[in-house]
Coordinates of all heavy atoms in Angstrom, one line a residue:
K18 N -11.5 -3.0 8.3 CA -12.6 -2.8 7.3 C -12.0 -2.5 6.0 O -10.8 -2.0 5.9 CB -13.6 -1.7 7.8 CG -14.3 -2.1 9.0 CD -15.3 -0.9 9.3 CE -16.3 -1.3 10.4 NZ -15.9 -1.6 11.7
T19 N -12.7 -2.6 4.9 CA -12.2 -2.3 3.6 C -13.1 -1.3 2.8 O -13.0 -1.2 1.6 CB -12.1 -3.6 2.7 OG1 -13.4 -4.3 2.7 CG2 -11.1 -4.6 3.3
D20 N -14.0 -0.6 3.5 CA -14.8 0.4 2.9 C -14.0 1.6 2.5 O -14.2 2.2 1.5 CB -16.0 0.7 3.7 CG -15.7 1.1 5.1 OD1 -14.6 0.8 5.6 OD2 -16.6 1.7 5.8
T21 N -13.0 2.0 3.3 CA -12.0 3.0 3.0 C -10.6 2.5 3.3 O -10.5 1.6 4.1 CB -12.3 4.3 3.8 OG1 -12.1 4.0 5.2 CG2 -13.7 4.9 3.5
V22 N -9.6 3.1 2.7 CA -8.2 2.7 2.9 C -7.8 3.1 4.3 O -8.1 4.2 4.8 CB -7.3 3.4 1.9 CG1 -5.9 3.1 2.1 CG2 -7.7 3.1 0.4
Q23 N -7.2 2.2 5.0 CA -6.7 2.4 6.4 C -5.5 1.6 6.6 O -5.1 0.7 5.7 CB -7.8 2.1 7.4 CG -8.3 0.6 7.4 CD -9.4 0.4 8.4 OE1 -9.6 1.2 9.3 NE2 -10.0 -0.8 8.3
L24 N -4.8 1.8 7.7 CA -3.7 1.0 8.1 C -3.9 -0.5 8.0 O -5.0 -0.9 8.4 CB -3.3 1.4 9.5 CG -1.9 0.8 10.1 CD1 -0.8 1.4 9.3 CD2 -1.8 1.1 11.6
L25 N -3.0 -1.2 7.4 CA -3.0 -2.7 7.2 C -3.9 -3.1 6.1 O -4.0 -4.3 5.8 CB -3.4 -3.4 8.5 CG -2.4 -3.3 9.7 CD1 -2.8 -4.2 10.8 CD2 -1.0 -3.6 9.3
N26 N -4.5 -2.2 5.3 CA -5.2 -2.6 4.1 C -4.2 -2.8 3.0 O -3.2 -2.2 2.9 CB -6.2 -1.5 3.7 CG -7.5 -1.5 4.4 OD1 -8.1 -0.4 4.5 ND2 -7.9 -2.6 5.0
K27 N -4.5 -3.8 2.1 CA -3.8 -4.0 0.9 C -4.6 -3.2 -0.1 O -5.8 -3.4 -0.3 CB -3.8 -5.5 0.5 CG -2.9 -5.8 -0.6 CD -2.9 -7.3 -0.9 CE -2.1 -8.0 0.1 NZ -1.8 -9.4 -0.2
V28 N -3.9 -2.3 -0.9 CA -4.6 -1.4 -1.8 C -4.0 -1.6 -3.2 O -2.8 -1.5 -3.4 CB -4.4 0.1 -1.4 CG1 -5.2 1.0 -2.3 CG2 -4.8 0.3 0.1
T29 N -4.9 -1.8 -4.2 CA -4.4 -1.9 -5.6 C -4.8 -0.6 -6.2 O -5.9 -0.1 -6.1 CB -5.1 -3.0 -6.3 OG1 -4.7 -4.3 -5.6 CG2 -4.6 -3.1 -7.8
I30 N -3.8 0.1 -6.7 CA -4.0 1.4 -7.4 C -3.5 1.4 -8.8 O -2.6 0.5 -9.2 CB -3.2 2.5 -6.6 CG1 -1.8 2.2 -6.5 CG2 -3.9 2.8 -5.3 CD1 -0.9 3.4 -5.8
K31 N -4.1 2.2 -9.6 CA -3.7 2.3 -11.0 C -3.2 3.7 -11.3 O -3.8 4.7 -11.0 CB -4.9 2.0 -12.0 CG -4.5 2.1 -13.4 CD -5.6 1.6 -14.3 CE -6.8 2.6 -14.4 NZ -7.8 2.2 -15.4
N32 N -2.0 3.8 -11.9 CA -1.5 5.0 -12.3 C -2.3 5.5 -13.6 O -2.3 4.8 -14.6 CB 0.0 4.9 -12.7 CG 0.7 6.2 -13.1 OD1 0.0 7.1 -13.7 ND2 2.0 6.3 -12.8
V33 N -3.1 6.6 -13.4 CA -4.0 7.0 -14.5 C -3.2 7.4 -15.8 O -3.7 7.1 -16.9 CB -4.8 8.2 -14.0 CG1 -5.7 8.8 -15.1 CG2 -5.7 7.7 -12.8
A34 N -2.0 7.9 -15.6 CA -1.2 8.3 -16.8 C -0.8 7.2 -17.7 O -0.8 7.3 -18.9 CB 0.0 9.2 -16.3
N35 N -0.3 6.1 -17.1 CA 0.2 5.0 -17.9 C -0.5 3.7 -17.7 O -0.2 2.7 -18.4 CB 1.7 4.8 -17.6 CG 2.0 4.3 -16.2 OD1 1.1 3.9 -15.5 ND2 3.3 4.5 -15.8
G36 N -1.5 3.6 -16.9 CA -2.3 2.4 -16.7 C -1.7 1.3 -15.9 O -2.3 0.2 -15.7
Q37 N -0.5 1.6 -15.4 CA 0.2 0.5 -14.6 C -0.5 0.4 -13.2 O -0.9 1.4 -12.6 CB 1.6 1.0 -14.4 CG 2.5 0.0 -13.6 CD 3.9 0.5 -13.4 OE1 4.3 1.6 -13.7 NE2 4.7 -0.4 -12.8
T38 N -0.7 -0.9 -12.8 CA -1.3 -1.1 -11.5 C -0.2 -1.6 -10.5 O 0.7 -2.3 -10.9 CB -2.4 -2.1 -11.5 OG1 -1.9 -3.4 -12.0 CG2 -3.6 -1.7 -12.4
M39 N -0.4 -1.3 -9.2 CA 0.5 -1.6 -8.2 C -0.3 -2.0 -7.0 O -1.4 -1.4 -6.8 CB 1.4 -0.5 -7.8 CG 2.3 0.0 -8.9 SD 2.7 1.7 -8.7 CE 1.3 2.5 -9.4
T40 N 0.1 -2.9 -6.2 CA -0.6 -3.3 -4.9 C 0.4 -3.1 -3.8 O 1.5 -3.6 -3.8 CB -1.1 -4.7 -5.0 OG1 -2.0 -4.9 -6.1 CG2 -1.8 -5.1 -3.7
Y41 N 0.0 -2.4 -2.8 CA 0.8 -2.1 -1.6 C -0.1 -2.4 -0.3 O -1.3 -2.2 -0.3 CB 1.2 -0.6 -1.5 CG 2.1 -0.2 -2.6 CD1 1.6 0.7 -3.6 CD2 3.4 -0.6 -2.7 CE1 2.5 1.1 -4.6 CE2 4.2 -0.2 -3.7 CZ 3.8 0.7 -4.7 OH 4.6 1.1 -5.7
T42 N 0.6 -2.8 0.7 CA 0.0 -2.9 2.0 C 0.5 -1.7 2.8 O 1.7 -1.4 2.9 CB 0.4 -4.2 2.7 OG1 0.0 -5.3 1.9 CG2 -0.3 -4.3 4.1
I43 N -0.4 -1.0 3.5 CA -0.1 0.2 4.3 C 0.2 -0.3 5.7 O -0.7 -0.9 6.3 CB -1.2 1.2 4.2 CG1 -1.4 1.7 2.8 CG2 -0.8 2.4 5.1 CD1 -2.5 2.6 2.5
V44 N 1.4 0.0 6.2 CA 1.9 -0.5 7.5 C 2.5 0.6 8.3 O 2.7 1.7 7.8 CB 2.9 -1.7 7.3 CG1 2.3 -2.9 6.6 CG2 4.1 -1.2 6.5
S45 N 2.8 0.3 9.5 CA 3.5 1.3 10.4 C 5.0 1.5 9.9 O 5.5 0.6 9.1 CB 3.5 0.8 11.8 OG 4.2 -0.4 11.9
E46 N 5.6 2.6 10.3 CA 7.0 2.9 9.8 C 7.9 1.7 10.0 O 8.7 1.4 9.1 CB 7.5 4.1 10.5 CG 6.9 5.4 10.0 CD 5.5 5.7 10.5 OE1 5.0 5.0 11.4 OE2 4.8 6.6 9.9
N47 N 7.9 1.1 11.2 CA 8.9 0.0 11.5 C 8.6 -1.3 10.7 O 9.5 -2.1 10.7 CB 8.9 -0.2 13.0 CG 7.6 -0.7 13.5 OD1 6.6 0.0 13.4 ND2 7.6 -1.8 14.2
E48 N 7.5 -1.4 10.1 CA 7.2 -2.6 9.3 C 7.3 -2.4 7.8 O 7.2 -3.4 7.0 CB 5.8 -3.2 9.6 CG 5.7 -3.6 11.1 CD 4.3 -4.2 11.3 OE1 4.0 -5.3 10.8 OE2 3.5 -3.6 12.1
A49 N 7.6 -1.2 7.4 CA 7.7 -0.9 5.9 C 8.9 -1.7 5.3 O 9.9 -1.8 5.9 CB 7.9 0.6 5.7
N50 N 8.6 -2.2 4.1 CA 9.6 -3.0 3.4 C 9.1 -3.0 1.9 O 8.2 -3.7 1.6 CB 9.7 -4.4 3.9 CG 10.7 -5.2 3.2 OD1 11.1 -5.0 2.1 ND2 11.2 -6.3 3.9
L51 N 9.8 -2.2 1.1 CA 9.4 -2.0 -0.3 C 9.4 -3.3 -1.1 O 8.6 -3.6 -1.9 CB 10.2 -0.9 -1.0 CG 9.5 -0.2 -2.1 CD1 8.1 0.3 -1.7 CD2 10.3 1.0 -2.6
K52 N 10.4 -4.2 -0.7 CA 10.5 -5.5 -1.4 C 9.3 -6.3 -1.2 O 8.9 -7.1 -2.1 CB 11.8 -6.2 -1.0 CG 13.1 -5.7 -1.5 CD 14.3 -6.5 -1.0 CE 15.5 -5.8 -1.3 NZ 16.7 -6.4 -0.6
E53 N 8.7 -6.2 0.0 CA 7.5 -6.9 0.3 C 6.2 -6.1 -0.1 O 5.1 -6.5 0.3 CB 7.5 -7.3 1.8 CG 8.6 -8.3 2.2 CD 8.6 -8.5 3.7 OE1 7.6 -8.1 4.4 OE2 9.5 -9.1 4.1
R54 N 6.4 -5.0 -0.7 CA 5.3 -4.1 -1.1 C 4.5 -3.6 0.1 O 3.3 -3.4 0.0 CB 4.4 -4.8 -2.1 CG 5.2 -5.4 -3.2 CD 5.0 -5.3 -4.6 NE 4.5 -4.6 -5.6 CZ 5.0 -3.5 -6.2 NH1 6.1 -3.0 -5.7 NH2 4.5 -3.0 -7.3
K55 N 5.3 -3.3 1.1 CA 4.7 -2.7 2.4 C 5.2 -1.3 2.5 O 6.4 -1.1 2.6 CB 5.1 -3.5 3.6 CG 4.5 -4.9 3.6 CD 5.0 -5.7 4.9 CE 4.4 -7.1 4.9 NZ 4.8 -7.8 6.1
I56 N 4.3 -0.3 2.4 CA 4.7 1.1 2.5 C 4.2 1.7 3.8 O 3.1 1.3 4.3 CB 4.2 1.9 1.3 CG1 2.7 1.9 1.2 CG2 4.9 1.5 0.0 CD1 2.2 2.9 0.1
A57 N 5.1 2.6 4.4 CA 4.7 3.2 5.6 C 3.6 4.2 5.5 O 3.5 4.8 4.5 CB 6.0 3.9 6.2
I58 N 2.8 4.2 6.5 CA 1.6 5.1 6.5 C 2.0 6.6 6.4 O 1.2 7.4 6.0 CB 0.7 4.9 7.7 CG1 -0.6 5.5 7.5 CG2 1.4 5.3 9.0 CD1 -1.8 4.9 8.3
S59 N 3.3 6.9 6.7 CA 3.8 8.3 6.6 C 4.2 8.7 5.3 O 4.6 9.8 5.0 CB 4.9 8.4 7.6 OG 6.0 7.5 7.3
T60 N 4.3 7.7 4.3 CA 4.7 8.1 2.9 C 3.7 8.9 2.2 O 2.5 8.8 2.5 CB 5.0 6.8 2.1 OG1 3.8 6.1 2.0 CG2 6.1 6.0 2.7

């Protein structure tokens, strides 16, 4: 579902201080890969 952020969601966030936006997919630890913009749920 996409009503709230959960594992395997792609989330676009904006840094309020500088307005920069970033998109990450939240994945399990073993699938994390910053080059692919996949961050571990434990971060």
Side-chain angles (χ1 to χ4, degrees):
K18 294 182 169 63
T19 58
D20 50 341
T21 61
V22 177
Q23 61 182 348
L24 187 67
L25 297 186
N26 281 154
K27 187 179 284 190
V28 184
T29 300
I30 55 176
K31 179 171 76 173
N32 181 329
V33 173
N35 64 17
Q37 181 182 6
T38 61
M39 301 152 275
T40 302
Y41 296 109
T42 302
I43 299 175
V44 297
S45 63
E46 284 75 14
N47 61 305
E48 293 183 71
N50 182 336
L51 208 48
K52 287 180 187 167
E53 295 176 9
R54 313 230 17 86
K55 294 179 178 180
I56 60 172
I58 194 153
S59 61
T60 62

